[in-house]
Every structure is written in C-alpha cells, then in structure tokens.
Amino acid sequence: MFRESIGQFIPEQWAALYVPKNKGLNEYVNRLLREIGVRDAGEFDRTDMSKGVINIVSARGEDVPQRVDDCIRRGETAYGLTGDDLFDEYMLGASNSPLGVLNTYDWFDSSAQFNRPALCLLNRSGLIPDSSPPVSIAVNRKYERSSRLFLSQRLQSRGIQFSVAAYAGDTENTVVEGTHDWCVEVVYRGDKSPDSAMSRAGLKVAEVVRFSDISLIGRKIINPWEEEYRRIAAVAENPTGSSTSKLLRDKNEVCKKFGEESAEFVRAFTQEAGMPEEFNDVVYALMVAAAKLQIPWAEIEADLKSRWK
C-alpha cells in the first residue's frame, strides 16, 4: 500500500507530532510512522532532501486534535496523527479551529470485520425497523456528536423516537443488561472474532455510521500563497540552516536566484513544458525578496486587489 512521505506535508525543520497512546491506535500509528519515513529519534527527509526532526508526543487519540490546536494558537509548530473519526468529532464542536486534514492514510487490517475500525449502530436484530416504539440508545462519549448527528438524520426520517445516553465505553453491556435497547460503538474484530465485545454481547451491526482511517492534521491552509509567504517570513525572523535562510542573508543572492528562476520559466514557457513548477519557483523567489524587506503579506494582497477595477 502506497504511503506518502510525511516530509511532503511538514516543511519545517523541527515540529512536534502528537500521536495516540490508546493501545490499538498507538500500535497502528507506530507502524505507519515507519512506513511514511519517520526514522529513529524522529528524523525524516524534507522535500529538499535536508533532514528534519519530529518530537513525538503521546496523548489520547481523542485529545490529539485539541493538543495540536492548543500549540498552533500559542504560535508553535505542531501536527497530529489520529483517527479521522476522532478528528471529525472534535471539529463538530470546534467551528473556529485553525486545524485541517493535510493527508489521510488508509487503515487496512484483514482481521477486522470491515478491514478498519467502524463506528456502528448495534442491536440484537441487526436491522433498523421501519417503525418502532421509542428506543433508548447508549453511545460512546468519544463519538457523541457524530452519533447524535447520525441518529437524528437516520432515525427521525423514519419517525423513530429515541433517547441518548453517553458512556466512556462498554456500551454493548448496557444493552446486555437491559438498560438500553441499542448502542453506537466502534466495531473492530466484530463477527470475525468470538471474543470481540460485539460477539460476546450477542449484538449485530444494524448500520455503519462511518469508517475510520488515520489523518495527519495541522494548520488548515486556506490561502496557499499566504501560507507559503508566512513560512518564508518565519524563516526570515528565525534563521535556520535551510536554503531559504541562506538566500535571505544576502540581497545579491536573492537577485541571482530570481534571475535563474526567471530564465528557467522562460525556457519552460517556450518549450510548453514544466510550467507549474517553474511558475512556483519564480513566485518563491519573489516572496523571498519581499520577506527580506519585511513587507507584510496584507500589503501585497491590498495592492493586487486595488487593480481589480
């Protein structure tokens, strides 16, 4: 299975990476880290082939989005790897969060009922009836918002009245005990294992609420031009050993870079090949020049907008 290198999404030379410490998630993410190019001591290859270092920090999977969010709001560089179901659950309650999904890595495990974790509506019949007396449903608190949204859309459309109670886990046993009629819980081994919580409780999947994969999360990029300029300006303020930092030390080097990239662009234009790459290389050189002179990005945007007449 193809796995994109983490260096494609983390341009910084150093960053914190929050990973889940929940047992199942932790084991899968640790294997994934090796597959996406994170070596011992957190080293990884950046796109320019220089070395970067990730400081790996453990947190509960459901807390990873909040921890990354906290870091970004403090002005720190941080990313996270966690279940996309947990990330979506967080975002349902954090509309003003700066976070976004930078990449998604498919989860595949042939021993799992659906080859990956799946949040499911469970009951004894494995069916959602066309009509039903009011039902009581236990949901896992980690997925309470997602569960409520699904139930309101799925059951209300059928005219089924329901009530919801949230638990930290073990929702299957609340059905076994008779406290609730149905539950919404994550199914992993499911029918493939007699020892799974679902099998032991004698429950069946009535409907899959959603599947889960692993998402790499970080600052949401709304305007890629602004984000690129922000990264260059950050290097200008705090020099590193990067090629951008070396350019920023000397105006003559910046001019030389712009000249070289402009010539490459003209060649690509005349040959009608490689235009996007050369276009972005010229823009990069322009941004380095502007950052060298500490010109605010808002000023550049304002000038552009003033031409829209």
Side-chain angles (χ1 to χ4, degrees), residues 107-246:
W107 185 308
F108 182 80
D109 181 353
S110 59
S111 68
Q113 179 168 342
F114 299 103
N115 296 322
R116 66 191 66 193
L119 187 65
C120 298
L121 175 63
L122 307 175
N123 59 28
R124 295 191 182 281
S125 67
L127 300 169
I128 299 178
D130 291 328
S131 62
S132 170
V135 292
S136 175
I137 305 172
V139 302
N140 189 312
R141 191 170 287 118
K142 286 193 294 188
Y143 308 100
E144 184 174 356
R145 296 187 188 96
S146 301
S147 299
R148 287 182 180 275
L149 180 62
F150 166 80
L151 293 170
S152 64
Q153 293 174 343
R154 192 73 177 88
L155 300 188
Q156 284 181 355
S157 65
R158 294 195 172 198
I160 298 175
Q161 296 182 339
F162 64 93
S163 60
V164 173
Y167 293 82
D170 199 28
T171 60
E172 299 93 342
N173 277 329
T174 68
V175 178
V176 173
E177 294 163 355
T179 306
H180 299 289
D181 304 302
W182 302 349
C183 68
V184 178
E185 189 57 89
V186 172
V187 171
Y188 197 72
R189 308 287 182 210
D191 287 337
K192 287 192 173 183
S193 171
D195 294 323
S196 70
M198 186 184 89
S199 295
R200 291 198 308 269
L203 301 180
K204 298 177 182 178
V205 174
E207 194 157 316
V208 175
V209 177
R210 60 161 302 153
F211 297 107
S212 178
D213 291 302
I214 301 294
S215 286
L216 174 66
I217 61 175
R219 179 186 288 275
K220 178 170 52 183
I221 299 175
I222 299 175
N223 181 338
W225 299 110
E226 182 178 5
E227 177 65 15
E228 174 71 355
Y229 192 71
R230 183 191 69 80
R231 293 175 187 276
I232 293 170
V235 173
E237 291 179 9
N238 299 290
T240 65
S242 66
S243 56
T244 298
S245 192
K246 292 174 184 176

Side-chain angles (χ1 to χ4, degrees), residues 12 55 61 83 99 133 203 281 305:
E12 295 87 358
N55 177 33
L99 297 183
L203 301 180
D281 284 344
K305 291 174 182 177

Side-chain angles (χ1 to χ4, degrees), residues 5-301:
S5 167
I6 199 169
Q8 294 182 40
F9 310 101
I10 300 182
E12 295 87 358
Q13 196 166 31
W14 184 93
L17 178 69
Y18 285 85
V19 301
K21 62 181 179 181
N22 317 52
K23 188 175 185 298
L25 263 175
N26 180 266
E27 290 174 356
Y28 198 86
V29 167
N30 279 335
R31 291 197 300 273
L32 176 64
L33 285 171
R34 293 190 292 273
E35 295 173 5
I36 61 179
V38 180
R39 300 185 292 276
D40 292 342
E43 285 192 351
F44 70 100
D45 292 325
R46 301 165 72 204
T47 52
D48 63 1
M49 299 313 295
S50 63
K51 303 299 181 189
V53 178
I54 289 171
N55 177 33
I56 297 176
V57 184
S58 294
R60 293 196 63 80
E62 58 269 33
D63 291 337
V64 166
Q66 180 70 69
R67 299 291 295 276
V68 177
D69 196 322
D70 292 342
C71 288
I72 289 174
R73 292 179 189 276
R74 292 198 302 267
E76 300 170 7
T77 302
Y79 298 86
L81 279 170
T82 193
D84 59 359
D85 51 354
L86 294 171
F87 176 70
D88 289 345
E89 174 74 16
Y90 175 75
M91 292 302 289
L92 284 173
S95 58
N96 295 321
S97 172
L99 297 183
V101 175
L102 306 182
N103 194 43
T104 298
Y105 297 100
D106 292 340
W107 185 308
F108 182 80
D109 181 353
S110 59
S111 68
Q113 179 168 342
F114 299 103
N115 296 322
R116 66 191 66 193
L119 187 65
C120 298
L121 175 63
L122 307 175
N123 59 28
R124 295 191 182 281
S125 67
L127 300 169
I128 299 178
D130 291 328
S131 62
S132 170
V135 292
S136 175
I137 305 172
V139 302
N140 189 312
R141 191 170 287 118
K142 286 193 294 188
Y143 308 100
E144 184 174 356
R145 296 187 188 96
S146 301
S147 299
R148 287 182 180 275
L149 180 62
F150 166 80
L151 293 170
S152 64
Q153 293 174 343
R154 192 73 177 88
L155 300 188
Q156 284 181 355
S157 65
R158 294 195 172 198
I160 298 175
Q161 296 182 339
F162 64 93
S163 60
V164 173
Y167 293 82
D170 199 28
T171 60
E172 299 93 342
N173 277 329
T174 68
V175 178
V176 173
E177 294 163 355
T179 306
H180 299 289
D181 304 302
W182 302 349
C183 68
V184 178
E185 189 57 89
V186 172
V187 171
Y188 197 72
R189 308 287 182 210
D191 287 337
K192 287 192 173 183
S193 171
D195 294 323
S196 70
M198 186 184 89
S199 295
R200 291 198 308 269
L203 301 180
K204 298 177 182 178
V205 174
E207 194 157 316
V208 175
V209 177
R210 60 161 302 153
F211 297 107
S212 178
D213 291 302
I214 301 294
S215 286
L216 174 66
I217 61 175
R219 179 186 288 275
K220 178 170 52 183
I221 299 175
I222 299 175
N223 181 338
W225 299 110
E226 182 178 5
E227 177 65 15
E228 174 71 355
Y229 192 71
R230 183 191 69 80
R231 293 175 187 276
I232 293 170
V235 173
E237 291 179 9
N238 299 290
T240 65
S242 66
S243 56
T244 298
S245 192
K246 292 174 184 176
L247 271 179
L248 286 162
R249 293 174 195 161
D250 190 332
K251 279 187 178 181
N252 290 330
E253 288 299 314
V254 175
C255 292
K256 180 181 175 183
K257 179 69 171 176
F258 178 71
E260 291 172 350
E261 298 302 347
S262 297
E264 291 292 331
F265 176 80
V266 170
R267 185 177 298 110
F269 177 70
T270 56
Q271 295 177 354
E272 299 184 13
M275 279 285 289
E277 296 88 343
E278 300 305 336
F279 180 95
N280 283 318
D281 284 344
V282 171
V283 173
Y284 165 76
L286 288 170
M287 287 184 170
V288 170
K292 173 70 175 173
L293 299 181
Q294 299 181 330
I295 298 172
W297 178 255
E299 207 172 297
I300 296 171
E301 275 196 346

